[in-house]
Every structure is written in structure tokens, then in C-alpha cells.
Amino acid sequence: MKSKKPRIAFIGMTSCKGCFFEFLLIGRKLVNLFENIEIRNFWLLKEFNDEKGEYDITFMDGAVSTEREAEELRDVRGRTKFLIAFGTCACWGGIPSIRNYSKDYRKIVYPKETKHPPKDSVDPIDKHVKVDYYMRGCPINEEEALEVIKDLLVGKKPREKDYSVCVECKKRGTRCLLKEGIICYGPVTYAGCNAPCPAVGTPCDGCRGPLPDGNLGAEVDMLKEKGITMEEIKSVFTRYAGSSEKFKEVKE
Ligand code: SF4
Ligand code: SF4
């Protein structure tokens, strides 16, 4: 008899695979979850995978850095009902896309011809295919991952958090680092992580990417007033989400 459980795939492109490991660290709750889903493709867990099948949900990790990855992505999209951009690399290009800002990387990193040569740019996956849900974060947040899967299991479309990390600081009662003179990018960053960094005294450095209606201009003015140079500000912005159109609004 054919299984009625949702068929899930975890597929990786260019990334450090930290999001996959973060997912597996969910531990016990994950074991309960696995009773209700069918993992069809997850090379980190299984030796034999259904690499060409149809999937109900695909967690697509990583940025697109070669033509081969772009082709694979299009192929998977055609076989998937619901596609999740899994982690900041898939959502924004992430750390691998830093190479978009270096002219010499190709000479330095790939001095010889490679079998799958790098594309001219490293892209977020929505540059190539339609994305149904953006699970941001470097790495992803386990609570969000569980919530999204549970929603999908009961036929509900998961909702992205369209407010800033500051809201989550307020919710959990974290003292504001900015008020203490510490630079923090939380006011312009997508929530969904439950603000773990400020909670332990570490400023948010924007790993979930820029909020569409975040006041980037005001954040930049405030950072400049505190003596942060435009070069430093840009390097934080481009570390995770350099592909974002939002950053183009920033005036020098
Ligand atoms: S610590 Fe950072 S993220 Fe938290 S409220 Fe202050 S500015 Fe916002
Ligand atoms: S607080 Fe900021 S840096 Fe920390 S996990 Fe959340 S978005 Fe990322």
C-alpha cells in the first residue's frame, strides 16, 4: 500500500550545510516528527535516496553558484509541490555570495579549470525558481522549522514573521543593546529567530536579512553617528544578504 505521509526532501547546493546540522540537532522532537513524514531524500541521513521522485515539500539549502546547480534546482522545482528556501544562503545568497564582491576570487580559489565551473554570480534560489516559503537564518531556527512542518502537515500555509528582531527582544524582555551604545542591526532585520543573540549580550548582525519595510536610512544614520564607517556598514549588509535590492536604497 502506498504511503500517505508527506514526501519530504532535503537538498543542498552551495553552503556550509550548517542549516542541515541545525535541523538534525532538533533531536527528540524530530524523532516524533519523522513518524508523520516520509523522508525521501536526505543524504546526510540516508545512504540510499530517491533523487528523481516527486516531493510534497523540499527544503532547498544553499545558494546557486554553478550552472549545474541552477539546472538541478529547476528540475527539483518541477517535482515539488512546496519549495522552502532553507537558510540564508538559499534566501539571499548568504556567505557564499561574498565572492560577488571580489574580482580576483576565481584566480585565487580556482586556479585550474574545474569540472563544474562557477557562475559569474552566486544567487539566491528565487533568482531561478519560485519559492513558497523563506526560512531565513544563518543557521535556520529549529522552532521555526518545526512550526513550518507542523503547519504544512495540517494543510496550513506557514506565515513568515514580517517584523523586526527588536519585536522579539521586547517579547522576551531582553534589554536593548543599542540603548547601551552597542551597535545592533536588529531594527532592520527579519524576525523569526526569537532574538537569541541580544539575549546573551551579542548584537544582531542581520543574519536573517533586511526587512522590506525596515528603516535602513535611519539605521545607517544612527550607525554613522556612532562612528561606524560606510565600508563597515556595507560589509555587514553584504555578509548575508548582498543580493537584497533593499541595500541599494542606502545612501553614502
Ligand atoms: S538589542 Fe538589538 S535587536 Fe534587541 S531591541 Fe535592541 S536594537 Fe533591537
Ligand atoms: S538575532 Fe540577528 S544575528 Fe542573531 S540569529 Fe537573529 S537575525 Fe541572526
Side-chain angles (χ1 to χ4, degrees), residues 137-139 165 168 186 189-191 193-198 202-209 240:
C138 182
V165 175
E168 293 184 327
T189 302
Y190 265 106
C193 55
N194 200 24
C197 307
T202 305
C204 170
D205 71 348
C207 85
R208 294 178 67 91
Y240 298 109

Side-chain angles (χ1 to χ4, degrees), residues 164-170 174-179 182-187 195 198-199 202-204 219:
S164 77
V165 175
C166 296
V167 175
E168 293 184 327
C169 272
K170 300 288 174 285
T174 301
R175 68 191 163 83
C176 178
L177 299 175
L178 265 184
K179 283 189 182 155
I182 300 168
I183 302 304
C184 185
Y185 288 81
T202 305
C204 170
E219 173 87 8

Side-chain angles (χ1 to χ4, degrees), residues 2-62:
K2 254 185 149 182
S3 163
K4 296 239 169 64
K5 292 178 183 176
R7 299 153 302 177
I8 315 269
F10 289 81
I11 299 175
M13 293 183 292
T14 300
S15 75
C16 70
K17 304 294 171 272
C19 288
F20 282 160
F21 283 105
E22 190 70 16
F23 183 76
L24 292 177
L25 286 173
I26 294 175
R28 206 168 181 79
K29 290 183 208 157
L30 204 59
V31 177
N32 297 338
L33 186 72
F34 280 0
E35 286 169 7
N36 298 308
I37 61 178
E38 192 186 338
I39 303 278
R40 297 299 285 262
N41 188 357
F42 195 173
W43 57 266
L44 212 56
L45 277 184
K46 307 196 315 175
E47 186 179 357
F48 300 105
N49 290 287
D50 172 15
E51 289 173 3
K52 291 287 161 201
E54 306 274 315
Y55 312 128
D56 293 302
I57 306 165
T58 295
F59 290 81
M60 187 56 89
D61 157 274

Side-chain angles (χ1 to χ4, degrees), residues 68-121:
R68 189 176 73 146
E69 285 181 339
E71 268 170 40
E72 186 191 355
L73 175 60
R74 286 190 289 271
D75 176 48
V76 171
R77 174 70 268 194
R79 296 185 276 115
T80 297
K81 288 188 188 146
F82 196 87
L83 185 83
I84 296 174
F86 189 59
T88 282
C89 295
C91 294
W92 301 105
I95 301 276
S97 68
I98 293 175
R99 84 154 156 84
N100 295 351
Y101 305 94
S102 161
K103 291 192 188 83
D104 298 327
Y105 88 88
R106 202 181 274 242
K107 277 205 299 247
I108 299 164
V109 183
Y110 306 104
K112 294 186 192 147
E113 278 304 302
T114 56
K115 193 173 165 202
H116 299 290
K119 275 173 15 70
D120 287 341
S121 69

